[in-house]
Amino acid sequence: MKNNTHITPFAISLFSLLFLSACKDNPPKEGLHLPQELFREGDIVFRRGTGFTSRIVLAADSEGRYSHTGILKKERGAWYVIHAVPGEPDFKGDADRIKMEPVERFFDAGKASRGAVMHVQADSALACGAARSALGLFRKHLLFDHDYDLNDTTEMYCTELIDYVYRKEGIDLSEGRTTSVNIPGMSGDYLMPNDIAQSGRLCLIYCF
């Protein structure tokens, strides 16, 4: 049977706004159950971190709900997050770099006080292409960009990674947004998680 229901962009945005409001001030509980049956490759994940770096990001972007972001990729039947992150070594001497870890670990209560998963409203082939590009950067052991330089793709920070892999598919998630920052040790225009989260192409499917 043909489904004639048409969901307008306004309806999607309104649903996302109401959904996001419902998530406010609801920290993750032990044994968080993620709706992995709703996930799609290329989905964007966000978290509000608990560490020092997260506090710096949130201080720099007072309007942002999240301090970190990554992209979902399914491998061997399990969901993983590919993300560029500092200060989370897998072993002694591990460099800050692009990592790939189970989605449960990404949203672990020790790392995330809140989180969200958002679909990118685009052809699924494009979203999968973005996820494959992220996987390729992970396999190249690309280092974390401590200079936060969007013009240098030899190293990347979290939002730079997301922006880069989707631009390769012809999708501009930042839509020209950057955040002007002027705090001790950090001054200039940066691409923040909130700049990605505001994209009109994103549709919230889960948050806590």
Side-chain angles (χ1 to χ4, degrees):
M1 180 181 296
K2 185 177 180 180
N3 187 346
N4 292 317
T5 303
H6 177 65
I7 301 175
T8 66
F10 174 77
I12 292 172
S13 297
L14 180 61
F15 172 76
S16 295
L17 179 62
L18 293 172
F19 198 170
L20 192 60
S21 298
C23 296
K24 187 176 181 181
D25 300 324
N26 288 324
K29 299 177 175 61
E30 289 299 322
L32 183 69
H33 295 292
L34 299 169
Q36 297 190 23
E37 69 280 1
L38 301 179
F39 293 174
R40 297 195 303 226
E41 287 212 357
D43 282 355
I44 310 300
V45 294
F46 297 87
R47 76 182 182 200
R48 186 182 184 97
T50 59
F52 177 71
T53 301
S54 296
R55 289 195 293 272
I56 292 175
V57 172
L58 293 168
D61 182 14
S62 59
E63 296 183 2
R65 290 176 58 85
Y66 304 109
S67 58
H68 189 52
T69 185
I71 185 170
L72 283 177
K73 180 77 174 72
K74 196 170 191 178
E75 289 286 292
R76 299 176 296 278
W79 286 104
Y80 292 84
V81 177
I82 300 172
H83 59 125
V85 62
E88 294 185 13
D90 286 338
F91 51 86
K92 186 176 181 180
D94 188 14
D96 291 340
R97 56 183 171 83
I98 292 178
K99 296 181 60 175
M100 180 172 171
E101 63 182 354
V103 63
E104 297 88 353
R105 188 181 302 167
F106 181 86
F107 283 132
D108 182 85
K111 295 180 180 179
S113 62
R114 64 175 49 150
V117 182
M118 300 187 188
H119 284 332
V120 177
Q121 297 179 78
D123 189 296
S124 61
L126 299 179
C128 288
R132 284 195 302 271
S133 292
L135 180 62
L137 294 173
F138 161 73
R139 288 174 173 168
K140 288 181 179 179
H141 308 290
L142 210 69
L143 296 178
F144 184 85
D145 181 7
H146 287 281
D147 292 326
Y148 298 91
D149 183 358
L150 284 172
N151 296 315
D152 179 8
T153 57
T154 62
E155 297 178 341
M156 292 187 182
Y157 61 102
C158 69
T159 47
E160 182 179 8
L161 168 64
I162 302 305
D163 183 65
Y164 176 80
V165 297
Y166 266 100
R167 280 184 185 276
K168 286 188 67 176
E169 302 300 324
I171 297 172
D172 177 11
L173 291 180
S174 69
E175 300 164 339
R177 285 180 299 274
T178 56
T179 298
S180 182
V181 176
N182 187 17
I183 61 175
M186 193 175 186
S187 179
D189 294 325
Y190 300 89
L191 185 60
M192 293 292 192
N194 192 46
D195 296 320
I196 298 291
Q198 291 182 70
S199 174
R201 281 186 172 269
L202 293 185
C203 178
L204 182 70
I205 62 164
Y206 172 74
C207 64
F208 61 82

